[in-house]
Amino acid sequence: MRQIGIWCRKRLAAGIAAFGLMVTAIGAVSGQTAYAATKKTNDSSVIEKLTVTFKSSYGEPDEILEPEITVNGDNCTLYDIQYRTDYDKWKPGRKVRVEVTVKAENDKVFPVSLTSSACRVTGADFVSARALDNTTLQVRADYKPVMMLGSTESAGWSSSSSKKATWKAVPNAPGYSLVLYGDNKAVRRMTTEKNSVDLSQYMKDDDKTYYYEVKAIPMTADEKKYLKEGIVIPSEDQEVDWEEVDKAQKNSEKADKTGAGDGGSLKGNNYIMPDGSKAVNTWKKIGGQWYYFDGNGNRVSGWLALGDYWYYLDKDGIMKTGWIQDGDRWYYMNEGGDMKTGWLTLGEYTYYLQPYSDGYRGCMFTGWRTIDGKSYYFHTGGGKRPGGTLYTNTMTPDGYWVDGNGVWIP
């Protein structure tokens, strides 16, 4: 009987153990089912896309404004903005690291991270988008502040030369646009990266009253993305120092025909300064004629492009003015040597020279041409009438009438 009791207890223990294993297995299966259901619910609750927008705006000159930042996405909202560069150290075009915190709403959650295609950033450069917890996403971006350039506080003339324009530099200005006027008519337009420029070669008439207008401008396409040009400031009228004029004239008369009065001399295709160096990227007036020496110090001949202007120098390197012919095309060079474009009236005749664009030189128009939507006829040459002149108030050679302004009347 004792052996039978022992056997029964062992069987009972084995049965209890087996029952325990069965309960454990059922619990495991139930747990997996519950986890799967939860996982399925979480998948449908994940915020997979959103957009962070940086909107720039220009304030007063020299003022940098913080961007307007907005978040657009389902079930999420902007929570916080942190700038990792002190505001007083912001510079136009210089990157500022921004951390934008976004909160999930309505029981939604964020994934561990989002790519730039899922978290779209406009108006700034995407860096990263990572979850701080299930309902908090931190978006990092690099923003470039924008600014309107200020205006110079003073614009006048150098104390050492009455024909050298000089003005106070504008903070953050990459360059400047300058227009020179003589008796209220534009004489010369140019851009420069410096806050002074010698205008003596364009101020040849001492009977005229000269002044200039200057403004700070961005110079490159990239700078134009975050800088807006400043306000135009007029200079003081030029006051002619007649003692200086007389002195310059005497020095010019004394200058050797092979030099520009600065101690240098023309040697072959180069202009050699007193210290033995070559004059480079500069104009030199030698014997009453203007020459240009390139970056290698060589005298230039033919067409020369400087900034927005074209010049023509003959085979000897002498800058030409007036009408010139290159092949079968005619061009007109202003008194300062730069190529004329647009309408030109000389005496009783009017011409039109094609505006400069896309690296192409303007030349004199002949025959029928459409300008600003209107048709004009320009003489093609031959006879007493100069080629290129505008027909007005008459019949064209092919039988069409043009009015007093040269416009074709259908």
Side-chain angles (χ1 to χ4, degrees), residues 107 175 228 274 306 323 339 364:
D107 297 326
K228 183 181 288 188
L306 292 178
W323 287 108
M339 181 182 66
M364 183 182 74

Side-chain angles (χ1 to χ4, degrees), residues 15 50 84 224 308 331 350:
L50 71 149
R84 294 307 174 192
K224 291 178 182 178
D308 295 332
Y331 305 84
T350 299

Side-chain angles (χ1 to χ4, degrees), residues 16 76 92 126 176 193 237 292:
I16 293 172
C76 61
F126 174 88
Y176 304 88
E193 295 180 358
D237 289 346
Y292 189 83

